[in-house]
Each structure stands twice: as structure tokens, then as C-alpha cells.
Amino acid sequence: MIAALVQKDIRLFFRNQFFALITALGLVFYLLIYFLLPTEVEETLPFAVFVADMPADVALQEFPLGDGLAVSTFDSEDSLIEAVRDGDYMAGLALSAETIAAISQGEPATLNVYYAPGTPPEMRGAVDSILGSALNAHMLPPEAVPTGIDRVTEVLGLQTDGPLSMRDRVLPSLVLLILAVEVMGLATLIVEEIEHGTAQAILTTPLGTYQFFASKAIMGIGLAFVQVFFISLVSAVILAAPLLITLTLLLGCLLITGFGFIIAAVARDMMSVMAWGMMGLIILTLPSLAIVFPTIGSGWMDYIPSHYLIDTLHRVINAGASWGDVTTNLLTLLVIGSGTLVIGSAALWRRFV
């Protein structure tokens, strides 16, 4: 019985020419966006420097760090750390007065070097070597023996396998956009059945309420999953961790189907579905925008349910995260997705009684 209802719902979904067209064009359009985005990153490395008790113009003359580094100076170590964390600079060096004095006298010194999220280990090693050589060459007296410099390095934020291109950053957003369209399609399907009395008629048959809602959930999750799985196959990101990415996409489809139920419970027609759906889309896409543009990220975005989907995909695809690294995200997705599905089903049931 459930299988028959699922088949009926799929036929009704694609009978709606608007959502059938949007679904087909969306897949093509999103793939075009993905493959047209650049895969290379900027080779000039922006580098931040803070030198205690030294004007900016003097600091730039005292510390010529070589070609390939676009050096900018800061007035405080805190402002340097904030700029590096936001991704404005690849790395930053903070030199205190004690450190400068120690290097000048050939004594052991410790450098505080900060790296932005996504800086690979080999790049950190290269920068460390450049800093050691540059400081020894420009600060030690000619007759002095270069001293070893101990470096205290800290990666600010998520450590990825390498600098991320725009294509790598955008993919989680594309997945979320596909799911958002399916939310509005599912909600429209349910609302139309309620408006035409189809849902009430079905519930007067021996078919149970559980079977009715189960068929809608299976259709919503299945239809959304087929599309996002197709995107992951064509883009080849599924190869990063097939089982982990597949489970993440399934849980994301569960979450989005639950929101579809909630929208269907509060909407009265297709126009109100679109209105509620667009408002939900704006909210749900905020965490993905923080990945594309790290400088707009904020801590409160972690409380948006879609954050756990976007963050998991980002960590697995771009940072090589394992099961243990994203277990909390997966469990949270499962709990929130199941919760929204239960709440949406209960709200819909109240419309029938």
C-alpha cells in the first residue's frame, strides 16, 4: 500500500509542470555552475605582520620577507589574529619587543605564527623556513652565527587538505539549494491534496495514518536523495568517502523533508508554500554562505539546523574528516530531522481532524 502511494505521489509531483521543469533545469544549472567555477587559487600569498613598538613603514623595511608574500602590517596582535581567522591573510607573524631583542642578540627566540583555515602542512613548513631565514639575514649582525628559531604555530579554524578553490566551497551550497526546491515541491503536493480533499478521502479508507505519512516521507526523502546523489556522482565528490557522504546526504534529505511537512502544515495554497519556502531557504542557506565567504561567518549560524549538514559535507569533502570527526553532526542531523518530521506530521494531522 505504501509503495502504491509513493508511486502516485511521484506521478503527481512530476505532473506539476513548474516543479518538474525546475527540478530538471536545476540539476543542469547547478552542475554548470560547479564546473564553470575556478579550480585554482591565488598564488600570491597575503601575509600579515605585527611588530611591537615599530611604525608600519619601518617594519616593512626591516622585514622584507621575499617575493610571493604580500605583506601588510597591523597595529596589534589581536587585530592580526582576527584578520587571519577571517581568511583575509594566509598567515600572520607577531613579533614582540622581547622576541626582536632575542633575535638581534643571537639568543633563542620563539615566533608566534598564525595560519588561516585551509593552510596545508607543506605551506606552513615553507613559510616557517622563509621566516627563519629572513629574520636571521636581516636582524643578526654580519659576524653573528644564525640562531635557531623555535616557532609556535596555530591553525585558526578548520584545517583542510589545502587551499580551497571556489568550486570546493560552493558544492555544499548547491546540495542545499537542490534540497530546498524539493521542500517546496513536497509541501505543494501535500497542500494540493488537502485543498482538493484527496488526503481526507484517502484517510477514510482502511489505509492508516502512519502509512499515509510514511509514503509522503519516503517520497520526499527518496526524490531529494536521487538528485543530490546524482550531483555528488557527477562532481566525483562521492569518492572522498562514499559511505559517509551517502549517509550525510540521506540525513540531510530527512531534515529537509521534515521542514516540507511543517511548511505544508502552515501553508494554505501554492503561493503561501512559495512564501514560506523562500523564507526558510534564506535561513537555511546562511551556513553555506559562511563557507563560500568565510568573513561573514558568525557563531550564531551554528544553531541553524542546516549547519550540521553543510559543516559535515565541508569537513568530509574538503578536509578529509573521518567518521569520528563528524559523529556529533550526524547524530544531531538525525535527531533534528526526526524531530521536524514528527512535528510536521502532528501539525498536518491537526488539519485533517
Side-chain angles (χ1 to χ4, degrees):
M1 183 65 71
I2 292 179
L5 285 176
V6 171
Q7 293 176 7
K8 173 191 70 72
D9 290 338
I10 292 177
R11 287 196 299 269
L12 289 176
F13 180 89
F14 286 103
R15 191 175 297 173
N16 186 315
Q17 296 182 359
F18 174 77
F19 284 106
L21 181 63
I22 290 298
T23 298
L25 291 181
L27 288 175
V28 176
F29 182 68
Y30 295 144
L31 285 173
L32 282 176
I33 291 177
Y34 177 78
F35 285 111
L36 290 176
L37 287 173
T39 59
E40 299 180 354
V41 295
E42 178 60 47
E43 294 184 359
T44 301
L45 304 177
F47 193 83
V49 172
F50 163 68
V51 182
D53 304 328
M54 186 176 295
D57 54 347
V58 176
L60 289 175
Q61 295 177 0
E62 289 290 332
F63 306 104
L65 299 179
D67 298 333
L69 293 180
V71 180
S72 300
T73 58
F74 285 78
D75 297 329
S76 68
E77 186 171 355
D78 290 338
S79 61
L80 179 147
I81 291 175
E82 182 178 358
V84 174
R85 181 185 292 114
D86 291 341
D88 297 334
Y89 294 87
M90 180 272 297
L93 168 67
L95 289 174
S96 64
E98 294 78 8
T99 300
I100 296 174
I103 296 176
S104 301
Q105 298 170 11
E107 298 177 355
T110 298
L111 302 182
N112 290 324
V113 185
Y114 301 94
Y115 290 97
T119 306
E122 57 271 16
M123 182 63 69
R124 300 203 303 268
V127 171
D128 287 348
S129 298
I130 293 174
L131 293 179
S133 301
L135 293 177
N136 275 319
H138 293 283
M139 296 192 68
L140 287 178
E143 67 279 3
V145 177
T147 182
I149 298 178
D150 295 327
R151 288 166 288 274
V152 178
T153 63
E154 179 182 353
V155 180
L156 303 174
L158 177 64
Q159 173 59 24
T160 61
D161 296 332
L164 297 180
S165 65
M166 185 56 67
R167 177 185 291 186
D168 296 328
R169 295 182 182 275
V170 161
L171 185 64
S173 301
L174 298 182
V175 170
L176 190 60
L177 288 174
I178 293 173
L179 295 178
V181 172
E182 295 313 305
V183 164
M184 291 184 281
L186 174 63
T188 299
L189 175 64
I190 297 175
V191 168
E192 287 181 346
E193 286 194 341
I194 295 175
E195 283 185 319
H196 299 155
T198 306
Q200 292 86 342
I202 292 176
L203 290 176
T204 59
T205 67
L207 176 72
T209 306
Y210 166 78
Q211 293 173 305
F212 175 80
F213 287 116
S215 66
K216 293 293 185 289
I218 292 173
M219 193 278 290
I221 294 173
L223 193 59
F225 177 74
V226 168
Q227 296 179 66
V228 293
F229 188 74
F230 175 73
I231 290 288
S232 67
L233 279 178
V234 175
S235 62
V237 298
I238 191 72
L239 301 178
L243 292 178
L244 184 51
I245 292 178
T246 300
L247 178 60
T248 303
L249 294 177
L250 275 172
L251 292 176
C253 294
L254 171 66
L255 173 69
I256 220 72
T257 300
F259 279 111
F261 275 36
I262 293 176
I263 292 175
V266 298
R268 299 302 170 184
D269 51 34
M270 181 176 175
M271 293 306 298
S272 60
V273 167
M274 298 298 293
W276 284 104
M278 290 304 299
M279 183 175 65
L281 173 62
I282 293 173
I283 296 174
L284 293 176
T285 53
L286 289 177
S288 64
L289 294 178
I291 294 177
V292 179
F293 308 104
T295 55
I296 70 173
S298 181
W300 61 266
M301 292 183 181
D302 295 351
Y303 296 98
I304 300 176
S306 59
H307 161 77
Y308 302 99
L309 170 63
I310 296 300
D311 184 60
T312 302
L313 290 175
H314 178 50
R315 288 176 178 273
V316 174
I317 296 172
N318 296 324
S322 63
W323 288 88
D325 298 324
V326 295
T327 298
T328 301
N329 279 1
L330 295 177
L331 291 176
T332 305
L333 271 176
L334 177 61
V335 171
I336 296 179
S338 302
T340 55
L341 198 61
V342 171
I343 293 172
S345 299
L348 276 175
W349 173 244
R350 291 182 63 85
R351 294 189 63 175
F352 301 144
V353 296

